[in-house]
Amino acid sequence: MDVEEIVLITLIIGASAALLLNRKRRWWVRPWIEQRETNSQGNSNLLHNELAVLDKENYKNFIRMDEDTFNDLLKLIENDIQKQDTKFRNAISAKDRLSVTLRYLATGESYKSLSFSFRMGQSTIAGIIPEVCIAIYNNLKNQYLKPFPFRNMTWQQRIFNYRLSRARRVVENAFGILTNRFRVLLNIISLDPSKAQTLTLACIVLHNFLRTRSPNGYDVKEQNIDRRFTFKYTLSRQAGNRSTASALDNRNEFVQYVNGIGAVEWQNDLA
């Protein structure tokens, strides 16, 4: 290859690079996605501006909670999921981020389907949903109760562990309720394991949150308890993660309750 050929090839490569750099992007935001803000279109508008006013029953069916509960949940996580506007476009609001996430958990719709119905980019939704699930879990996880470590327990702590294990016997029923409310759990979750775990944890804490807000929304009778059961066979040893002060206070409050006014006559025989 002579010098003239090398120069010619260099010029061609340089011209091609210049064309690629100077080529204008076809859209910064696709026109039909812009309609979400400019003309108030999409499922978020349907949910908050139409169903919330005209059909509260289907509002609740759409995201599995009523408007007041939605607003309370939004207040809890808003600071964690809100993004800043830029010079080029406005950020998707925290309300819309939570709405699309709850719809996904309620139905298990694909990101592509949600993209069209909520008028958001598919890749945008793929980033929003795991982020909102993390925020939900982090803000609601203190509702969990952990058993005491098995070593050096007091009698009162043994009683608490037994009562906690007895309560966990309803987990199978709870999972049935969970999947009925959050139907994403009935489908194959096409996410990497860490994101699928976050999604599942978000469903669990949302279940607890909604249970406290609407106790009559669940009607599951307690199953018959096998009185030969003891906590040692269902409670696993806990990892070394430290519980929050709030969680420890909650557990101590329950210890006092199950050993006081909440005691049952047969617990001392089984603990």
mmCIF file with all atom_site columns, all heavy atoms in Angstrom, residues 19-31 33 88-89 121 123-124:
data_model
loop_
_atom_site.group_PDB
_atom_site.id
_atom_site.type_symbol
_atom_site.label_atom_id
_atom_site.label_alt_id
_atom_site.label_comp_id
_atom_site.label_asym_id
_atom_site.label_entity_id
_atom_site.label_seq_id
_atom_site.pdbx_PDB_ins_code
_atom_site.Cartn_x
_atom_site.Cartn_y
_atom_site.Cartn_z
_atom_site.occupancy
_atom_site.B_iso_or_equiv
_atom_site.pdbx_formal_charge
_atom_site.auth_seq_id
_atom_site.auth_comp_id
_atom_site.auth_asym_id
_atom_site.auth_atom_id
_atom_site.pdbx_PDB_model_num
ATOM 1   N N   . LEU A 1 19  ? -19.473 12.715 9.470  1.00 0.00 ? 19  LEU A N   1
ATOM 2   C CA  . LEU A 1 19  ? -20.893 12.564 9.168  1.00 0.00 ? 19  LEU A CA  1
ATOM 3   C C   . LEU A 1 19  ? -21.651 11.986 10.353 1.00 0.00 ? 19  LEU A C   1
ATOM 4   O O   . LEU A 1 19  ? -22.766 12.408 10.672 1.00 0.00 ? 19  LEU A O   1
ATOM 5   C CB  . LEU A 1 19  ? -21.069 11.667 7.941  1.00 0.00 ? 19  LEU A CB  1
ATOM 6   C CG  . LEU A 1 19  ? -20.715 12.290 6.586  1.00 0.00 ? 19  LEU A CG  1
ATOM 7   C CD1 . LEU A 1 19  ? -20.777 11.231 5.489  1.00 0.00 ? 19  LEU A CD1 1
ATOM 8   C CD2 . LEU A 1 19  ? -21.665 13.442 6.268  1.00 0.00 ? 19  LEU A CD2 1
ATOM 9   N N   . LEU A 1 20  ? -21.048 10.997 11.013 1.00 0.00 ? 20  LEU A N   1
ATOM 10  C CA  . LEU A 1 20  ? -21.697 10.383 12.178 1.00 0.00 ? 20  LEU A CA  1
ATOM 11  C C   . LEU A 1 20  ? -21.845 11.380 13.311 1.00 0.00 ? 20  LEU A C   1
ATOM 12  O O   . LEU A 1 20  ? -22.868 11.417 14.009 1.00 0.00 ? 20  LEU A O   1
ATOM 13  C CB  . LEU A 1 20  ? -20.886 9.173  12.640 1.00 0.00 ? 20  LEU A CB  1
ATOM 14  C CG  . LEU A 1 20  ? -20.915 7.946  11.721 1.00 0.00 ? 20  LEU A CG  1
ATOM 15  C CD1 . LEU A 1 20  ? -19.941 6.882  12.226 1.00 0.00 ? 20  LEU A CD1 1
ATOM 16  C CD2 . LEU A 1 20  ? -22.333 7.368  11.635 1.00 0.00 ? 20  LEU A CD2 1
ATOM 17  N N   . LEU A 1 21  ? -20.829 12.210 13.522 1.00 0.00 ? 21  LEU A N   1
ATOM 18  C CA  . LEU A 1 21  ? -20.878 13.181 14.606 1.00 0.00 ? 21  LEU A CA  1
ATOM 19  C C   . LEU A 1 21  ? -21.877 14.291 14.333 1.00 0.00 ? 21  LEU A C   1
ATOM 20  O O   . LEU A 1 21  ? -22.527 14.808 15.246 1.00 0.00 ? 21  LEU A O   1
ATOM 21  C CB  . LEU A 1 21  ? -19.489 13.770 14.846 1.00 0.00 ? 21  LEU A CB  1
ATOM 22  C CG  . LEU A 1 21  ? -18.448 12.826 15.460 1.00 0.00 ? 21  LEU A CG  1
ATOM 23  C CD1 . LEU A 1 21  ? -17.070 13.493 15.466 1.00 0.00 ? 21  LEU A CD1 1
ATOM 24  C CD2 . LEU A 1 21  ? -18.849 12.436 16.871 1.00 0.00 ? 21  LEU A CD2 1
ATOM 25  N N   . ASN A 1 22  ? -21.968 14.676 13.051 1.00 0.00 ? 22  ASN A N   1
ATOM 26  C CA  . ASN A 1 22  ? -22.836 15.804 12.701 1.00 0.00 ? 22  ASN A CA  1
ATOM 27  C C   . ASN A 1 22  ? -24.279 15.402 12.436 1.00 0.00 ? 22  ASN A C   1
ATOM 28  O O   . ASN A 1 22  ? -25.149 16.265 12.317 1.00 0.00 ? 22  ASN A O   1
ATOM 29  C CB  . ASN A 1 22  ? -22.286 16.515 11.457 1.00 0.00 ? 22  ASN A CB  1
ATOM 30  C CG  . ASN A 1 22  ? -20.970 17.191 11.741 1.00 0.00 ? 22  ASN A CG  1
ATOM 31  O OD1 . ASN A 1 22  ? -20.738 17.651 12.861 1.00 0.00 ? 22  ASN A OD1 1
ATOM 32  N ND2 . ASN A 1 22  ? -20.088 17.258 10.751 1.00 0.00 ? 22  ASN A ND2 1
ATOM 33  N N   . ARG A 1 23  ? -24.515 14.084 12.311 1.00 0.00 ? 23  ARG A N   1
ATOM 34  C CA  . ARG A 1 23  ? -25.874 13.645 12.042 1.00 0.00 ? 23  ARG A CA  1
ATOM 35  C C   . ARG A 1 23  ? -26.763 13.949 13.240 1.00 0.00 ? 23  ARG A C   1
ATOM 36  O O   . ARG A 1 23  ? -26.464 13.558 14.372 1.00 0.00 ? 23  ARG A O   1
ATOM 37  C CB  . ARG A 1 23  ? -25.895 12.144 11.745 1.00 0.00 ? 23  ARG A CB  1
ATOM 38  C CG  . ARG A 1 23  ? -27.284 11.658 11.305 1.00 0.00 ? 23  ARG A CG  1
ATOM 39  C CD  . ARG A 1 23  ? -27.221 10.206 10.880 1.00 0.00 ? 23  ARG A CD  1
ATOM 40  N NE  . ARG A 1 23  ? -26.852 9.346  12.015 1.00 0.00 ? 23  ARG A NE  1
ATOM 41  C CZ  . ARG A 1 23  ? -26.665 8.031  11.898 1.00 0.00 ? 23  ARG A CZ  1
ATOM 42  N NH1 . ARG A 1 23  ? -26.756 7.466  10.705 1.00 0.00 ? 23  ARG A NH1 1
ATOM 43  N NH2 . ARG A 1 23  ? -26.345 7.312  12.958 1.00 0.00 ? 23  ARG A NH2 1
ATOM 44  N N   . LYS A 1 24  ? -27.840 14.625 13.009 1.00 0.00 ? 24  LYS A N   1
ATOM 45  C CA  . LYS A 1 24  ? -28.716 15.014 14.101 1.00 0.00 ? 24  LYS A CA  1
ATOM 46  C C   . LYS A 1 24  ? -29.522 13.813 14.576 1.00 0.00 ? 24  LYS A C   1
ATOM 47  O O   . LYS A 1 24  ? -29.962 12.987 13.788 1.00 0.00 ? 24  LYS A O   1
ATOM 48  C CB  . LYS A 1 24  ? -29.670 16.131 13.657 1.00 0.00 ? 24  LYS A CB  1
ATOM 49  C CG  . LYS A 1 24  ? -28.969 17.448 13.376 1.00 0.00 ? 24  LYS A CG  1
ATOM 50  C CD  . LYS A 1 24  ? -29.979 18.532 13.027 1.00 0.00 ? 24  LYS A CD  1
ATOM 51  C CE  . LYS A 1 24  ? -29.290 19.860 12.797 1.00 0.00 ? 24  LYS A CE  1
ATOM 52  N NZ  . LYS A 1 24  ? -30.244 20.922 12.431 1.00 0.00 ? 24  LYS A NZ  1
ATOM 53  N N   . ARG A 1 25  ? -29.724 13.773 15.877 1.00 0.00 ? 25  ARG A N   1
ATOM 54  C CA  . ARG A 1 25  ? -30.560 12.729 16.440 1.00 0.00 ? 25  ARG A CA  1
ATOM 55  C C   . ARG A 1 25  ? -31.989 12.926 15.956 1.00 0.00 ? 25  ARG A C   1
ATOM 56  O O   . ARG A 1 25  ? -32.508 14.048 15.966 1.00 0.00 ? 25  ARG A O   1
ATOM 57  C CB  . ARG A 1 25  ? -30.492 12.805 17.966 1.00 0.00 ? 25  ARG A CB  1
ATOM 58  C CG  . ARG A 1 25  ? -31.216 11.674 18.673 1.00 0.00 ? 25  ARG A CG  1
ATOM 59  C CD  . ARG A 1 25  ? -30.868 11.700 20.145 1.00 0.00 ? 25  ARG A CD  1
ATOM 60  N NE  . ARG A 1 25  ? -31.542 10.642 20.862 1.00 0.00 ? 25  ARG A NE  1
ATOM 61  C CZ  . ARG A 1 25  ? -31.242 10.299 22.113 1.00 0.00 ? 25  ARG A CZ  1
ATOM 62  N NH1 . ARG A 1 25  ? -30.275 10.930 22.733 1.00 0.00 ? 25  ARG A NH1 1
ATOM 63  N NH2 . ARG A 1 25  ? -31.887 9.339  22.720 1.00 0.00 ? 25  ARG A NH2 1
ATOM 64  N N   . ARG A 1 26  ? -32.628 11.818 15.553 1.00 0.00 ? 26  ARG A N   1
ATOM 65  C CA  . ARG A 1 26  ? -33.978 11.940 15.000 1.00 0.00 ? 26  ARG A CA  1
ATOM 66  C C   . ARG A 1 26  ? -34.954 12.498 16.020 1.00 0.00 ? 26  ARG A C   1
ATOM 67  O O   . ARG A 1 26  ? -35.735 13.383 15.717 1.00 0.00 ? 26  ARG A O   1
ATOM 68  C CB  . ARG A 1 26  ? -34.441 10.569 14.512 1.00 0.00 ? 26  ARG A CB  1
ATOM 69  C CG  . ARG A 1 26  ? -35.735 10.624 13.721 1.00 0.00 ? 26  ARG A CG  1
ATOM 70  C CD  . ARG A 1 26  ? -36.097 9.263  13.184 1.00 0.00 ? 26  ARG A CD  1
ATOM 71  N NE  . ARG A 1 26  ? -37.331 9.307  12.424 1.00 0.00 ? 26  ARG A NE  1
ATOM 72  C CZ  . ARG A 1 26  ? -37.934 8.231  11.921 1.00 0.00 ? 26  ARG A CZ  1
ATOM 73  N NH1 . ARG A 1 26  ? -37.406 7.036  12.115 1.00 0.00 ? 26  ARG A NH1 1
ATOM 74  N NH2 . ARG A 1 26  ? -39.049 8.347  11.242 1.00 0.00 ? 26  ARG A NH2 1
ATOM 75  N N   . TRP A 1 27  ? -34.915 11.938 17.240 1.00 0.00 ? 27  TRP A N   1
ATOM 76  C CA  . TRP A 1 27  ? -35.757 12.425 18.335 1.00 0.00 ? 27  TRP A CA  1
ATOM 77  C C   . TRP A 1 27  ? -34.952 12.423 19.620 1.00 0.00 ? 27  TRP A C   1
ATOM 78  O O   . TRP A 1 27  ? -34.199 11.492 19.885 1.00 0.00 ? 27  TRP A O   1
ATOM 79  C CB  . TRP A 1 27  ? -36.977 11.527 18.566 1.00 0.00 ? 27  TRP A CB  1
ATOM 80  C CG  . TRP A 1 27  ? -37.984 11.515 17.469 1.00 0.00 ? 27  TRP A CG  1
ATOM 81  C CD1 . TRP A 1 27  ? -38.657 12.576 16.941 1.00 0.00 ? 27  TRP A CD1 1
ATOM 82  C CD2 . TRP A 1 27  ? -38.458 10.360 16.769 1.00 0.00 ? 27  TRP A CD2 1
ATOM 83  N NE1 . TRP A 1 27  ? -39.514 12.167 15.966 1.00 0.00 ? 27  TRP A NE1 1
ATOM 84  C CE2 . TRP A 1 27  ? -39.421 10.804 15.834 1.00 0.00 ? 27  TRP A CE2 1
ATOM 85  C CE3 . TRP A 1 27  ? -38.180 8.998  16.834 1.00 0.00 ? 27  TRP A CE3 1
ATOM 86  C CZ2 . TRP A 1 27  ? -40.093 9.952  14.979 1.00 0.00 ? 27  TRP A CZ2 1
ATOM 87  C CZ3 . TRP A 1 27  ? -38.836 8.139  15.992 1.00 0.00 ? 27  TRP A CZ3 1
ATOM 88  C CH2 . TRP A 1 27  ? -39.777 8.608  15.071 1.00 0.00 ? 27  TRP A CH2 1
ATOM 89  N N   . TRP A 1 28  ? -35.101 13.465 20.418 1.00 0.00 ? 28  TRP A N   1
ATOM 90  C CA  . TRP A 1 28  ? -34.596 13.392 21.787 1.00 0.00 ? 28  TRP A CA  1
ATOM 91  C C   . TRP A 1 28  ? -35.576 12.586 22.627 1.00 0.00 ? 28  TRP A C   1
ATOM 92  O O   . TRP A 1 28  ? -35.194 11.743 23.421 1.00 0.00 ? 28  TRP A O   1
ATOM 93  C CB  . TRP A 1 28  ? -34.417 14.798 22.357 1.00 0.00 ? 28  TRP A CB  1
ATOM 94  C CG  . TRP A 1 28  ? -33.874 14.782 23.751 1.00 0.00 ? 28  TRP A CG  1
ATOM 95  C CD1 . TRP A 1 28  ? -34.558 14.967 24.911 1.00 0.00 ? 28  TRP A CD1 1
ATOM 96  C CD2 . TRP A 1 28  ? -32.515 14.520 24.152 1.00 0.00 ? 28  TRP A CD2 1
ATOM 97  N NE1 . TRP A 1 28  ? -33.733 14.850 25.999 1.00 0.00 ? 28  TRP A NE1 1
ATOM 98  C CE2 . TRP A 1 28  ? -32.464 14.577 25.559 1.00 0.00 ? 28  TRP A CE2 1
ATOM 99  C CE3 . TRP A 1 28  ? -31.355 14.245 23.445 1.00 0.00 ? 28  TRP A CE3 1
ATOM 100 C CZ2 . TRP A 1 28  ? -31.303 14.366 26.276 1.00 0.00 ? 28  TRP A CZ2 1
ATOM 101 C CZ3 . TRP A 1 28  ? -30.186 14.034 24.166 1.00 0.00 ? 28  TRP A CZ3 1
ATOM 102 C CH2 . TRP A 1 28  ? -30.170 14.090 25.560 1.00 0.00 ? 28  TRP A CH2 1
ATOM 103 N N   . VAL A 1 29  ? -36.870 12.855 22.434 1.00 0.00 ? 29  VAL A N   1
ATOM 104 C CA  . VAL A 1 29  ? -37.942 12.068 23.040 1.00 0.00 ? 29  VAL A CA  1
ATOM 105 C C   . VAL A 1 29  ? -38.941 11.773 21.933 1.00 0.00 ? 29  VAL A C   1
ATOM 106 O O   . VAL A 1 29  ? -39.331 12.673 21.189 1.00 0.00 ? 29  VAL A O   1
ATOM 107 C CB  . VAL A 1 29  ? -38.633 12.830 24.187 1.00 0.00 ? 29  VAL A CB  1
ATOM 108 C CG1 . VAL A 1 29  ? -39.774 11.997 24.766 1.00 0.00 ? 29  VAL A CG1 1
ATOM 109 C CG2 . VAL A 1 29  ? -37.632 13.185 25.278 1.00 0.00 ? 29  VAL A CG2 1
ATOM 110 N N   . ARG A 1 30  ? -39.371 10.543 21.823 1.00 0.00 ? 30  ARG A N   1
ATOM 111 C CA  . ARG A 1 30  ? -40.320 10.198 20.775 1.00 0.00 ? 30  ARG A CA  1
ATOM 112 C C   . ARG A 1 30  ? -41.610 10.998 20.956 1.00 0.00 ? 30  ARG A C   1
ATOM 113 O O   . ARG A 1 30  ? -42.081 11.176 22.092 1.00 0.00 ? 30  ARG A O   1
ATOM 114 C CB  . ARG A 1 30  ? -40.618 8.702  20.798 1.00 0.00 ? 30  ARG A CB  1
ATOM 115 C CG  . ARG A 1 30  ? -39.421 7.845  20.395 1.00 0.00 ? 30  ARG A CG  1
ATOM 116 C CD  . ARG A 1 30  ? -39.753 6.367  20.408 1.00 0.00 ? 30  ARG A CD  1
ATOM 117 N NE  . ARG A 1 30  ? -38.582 5.587  20.048 1.00 0.00 ? 30  ARG A NE  1
ATOM 118 C CZ  . ARG A 1 30  ? -38.230 5.293  18.804 1.00 0.00 ? 30  ARG A CZ  1
ATOM 119 N NH1 . ARG A 1 30  ? -38.979 5.724  17.789 1.00 0.00 ? 30  ARG A NH1 1
ATOM 120 N NH2 . ARG A 1 30  ? -37.160 4.579  18.562 1.00 0.00 ? 30  ARG A NH2 1
ATOM 121 N N   . PRO A 1 31  ? -42.188 11.466 19.856 1.00 0.00 ? 31  PRO A N   1
ATOM 122 C CA  . PRO A 1 31  ? -43.379 12.337 19.943 1.00 0.00 ? 31  PRO A CA  1
ATOM 123 C C   . PRO A 1 31  ? -44.526 11.739 20.748 1.00 0.00 ? 31  PRO A C   1
ATOM 124 O O   . PRO A 1 31  ? -45.191 12.447 21.515 1.00 0.00 ? 31  PRO A O   1
ATOM 125 C CB  . PRO A 1 31  ? -43.763 12.544 18.477 1.00 0.00 ? 31  PRO A CB  1
ATOM 126 C CG  . PRO A 1 31  ? -42.483 12.371 17.734 1.00 0.00 ? 31  PRO A CG  1
ATOM 127 C CD  . PRO A 1 31  ? -41.716 11.315 18.469 1.00 0.00 ? 31  PRO A CD  1
ATOM 128 N N   . ILE A 1 33  ? -44.342 9.734  23.214 1.00 0.00 ? 33  ILE A N   1
ATOM 129 C CA  . ILE A 1 33  ? -43.999 9.759  24.638 1.00 0.00 ? 33  ILE A CA  1
ATOM 130 C C   . ILE A 1 33  ? -44.202 11.162 25.203 1.00 0.00 ? 33  ILE A C   1
ATOM 131 O O   . ILE A 1 33  ? -44.665 11.330 26.344 1.00 0.00 ? 33  ILE A O   1
ATOM 132 C CB  . ILE A 1 33  ? -42.547 9.285  24.845 1.00 0.00 ? 33  ILE A CB  1
ATOM 133 C CG1 . ILE A 1 33  ? -42.425 7.796  24.528 1.00 0.00 ? 33  ILE A CG1 1
ATOM 134 C CG2 . ILE A 1 33  ? -42.074 9.567  26.273 1.00 0.00 ? 33  ILE A CG2 1
ATOM 135 C CD1 . ILE A 1 33  ? -41.031 7.223  24.694 1.00 0.00 ? 33  ILE A CD1 1
ATOM 136 N N   . PHE A 1 88  ? -32.766 19.865 28.967 1.00 0.00 ? 88  PHE A N   1
ATOM 137 C CA  . PHE A 1 88  ? -33.330 19.259 27.773 1.00 0.00 ? 88  PHE A CA  1
ATOM 138 C C   . PHE A 1 88  ? -34.744 18.720 27.978 1.00 0.00 ? 88  PHE A C   1
ATOM 139 O O   . PHE A 1 88  ? -35.547 18.717 27.059 1.00 0.00 ? 88  PHE A O   1
ATOM 140 C CB  . PHE A 1 88  ? -32.419 18.134 27.292 1.00 0.00 ? 88  PHE A CB  1
ATOM 141 C CG  . PHE A 1 88  ? -31.023 18.593 26.999 1.00 0.00 ? 88  PHE A CG  1
ATOM 142 C CD1 . PHE A 1 88  ? -30.000 18.367 27.904 1.00 0.00 ? 88  PHE A CD1 1
ATOM 143 C CD2 . PHE A 1 88  ? -30.738 19.270 25.820 1.00 0.00 ? 88  PHE A CD2 1
ATOM 144 C CE1 . PHE A 1 88  ? -28.709 18.790 27.636 1.00 0.00 ? 88  PHE A CE1 1
ATOM 145 C CE2 . PHE A 1 88  ? -29.448 19.703 25.547 1.00 0.00 ? 88  PHE A CE2 1
ATOM 146 C CZ  . PHE A 1 88  ? -28.429 19.466 26.455 1.00 0.00 ? 88  PHE A CZ  1
ATOM 147 N N   . ARG A 1 89  ? -35.050 18.262 29.173 1.00 0.00 ? 89  ARG A N   1
ATOM 148 C CA  . ARG A 1 89  ? -36.379 17.688 29.403 1.00 0.00 ? 89  ARG A CA  1
ATOM 149 C C   . ARG A 1 89  ? -36.674 17.621 30.892 1.00 0.00 ? 89  ARG A C   1
ATOM 150 O O   . ARG A 1 89  ? -35.763 17.649 31.726 1.00 0.00 ? 89  ARG A O   1
ATOM 151 C CB  . ARG A 1 89  ? -36.468 16.286 28.795 1.00 0.00 ? 89  ARG A CB  1
ATOM 152 C CG  . ARG A 1 89  ? -35.395 15.336 29.288 1.00 0.00 ? 89  ARG A CG  1
ATOM 153 C CD  . ARG A 1 89  ? -35.503 13.991 28.602 1.00 0.00 ? 89  ARG A CD  1
ATOM 154 N NE  . ARG A 1 89  ? -34.378 13.125 28.932 1.00 0.00 ? 89  ARG A NE  1
ATOM 155 C CZ  . ARG A 1 89  ? -34.254 11.877 28.501 1.00 0.00 ? 89  ARG A CZ  1
ATOM 156 N NH1 . ARG A 1 89  ? -35.173 11.363 27.729 1.00 0.00 ? 89  ARG A NH1 1
ATOM 157 N NH2 . ARG A 1 89  ? -33.205 11.158 28.847 1.00 0.00 ? 89  ARG A NH2 1
ATOM 158 N N   . GLY A 1 121 ? -40.248 5.529  27.840 1.00 0.00 ? 121 GLY A N   1
ATOM 159 C CA  . GLY A 1 121 ? -39.338 4.660  27.131 1.00 0.00 ? 121 GLY A CA  1
ATOM 160 C C   . GLY A 1 121 ? -39.163 3.333  27.848 1.00 0.00 ? 121 GLY A C   1
ATOM 161 O O   . GLY A 1 121 ? -39.174 3.274  29.080 1.00 0.00 ? 121 GLY A O   1
ATOM 162 N N   . SER A 1 123 ? -36.527 1.422  28.112 1.00 0.00 ? 123 SER A N   1
ATOM 163 C CA  . SER A 1 123 ? -35.308 1.403  28.927 1.00 0.00 ? 123 SER A CA  1
ATOM 164 C C   . SER A 1 123 ? -35.469 2.258  30.176 1.00 0.00 ? 123 SER A C   1
ATOM 165 O O   . SER A 1 123 ? -34.890 1.962  31.231 1.00 0.00 ? 123 SER A O   1
ATOM 166 C CB  . SER A 1 123 ? -34.114 1.903  28.102 1.00 0.00 ? 123 SER A CB  1
ATOM 167 O OG  . SER A 1 123 ? -34.321 3.229  27.657 1.00 0.00 ? 123 SER A OG  1
ATOM 168 N N   . THR A 1 124 ? -36.276 3.317  30.064 1.00 0.00 ? 124 THR A N   1
ATOM 169 C CA  . THR A 1 124 ? -36.544 4.163  31.227 1.00 0.00 ? 124 THR A CA  1
ATOM 170 C C   . THR A 1 124 ? -37.304 3.381  32.288 1.00 0.00 ? 124 THR A C   1
ATOM 171 O O   . THR A 1 124 ? -36.975 3.422  33.486 1.00 0.00 ? 124 THR A O   1
ATOM 172 C CB  . THR A 1 124 ? -37.364 5.403  30.815 1.00 0.00 ? 124 THR A CB  1
ATOM 173 O OG1 . THR A 1 124 ? -36.633 6.152  29.839 1.00 0.00 ? 124 THR A OG1 1
ATOM 174 C CG2 . THR A 1 124 ? -37.657 6.293  32.010 1.00 0.00 ? 124 THR A CG2 1
#
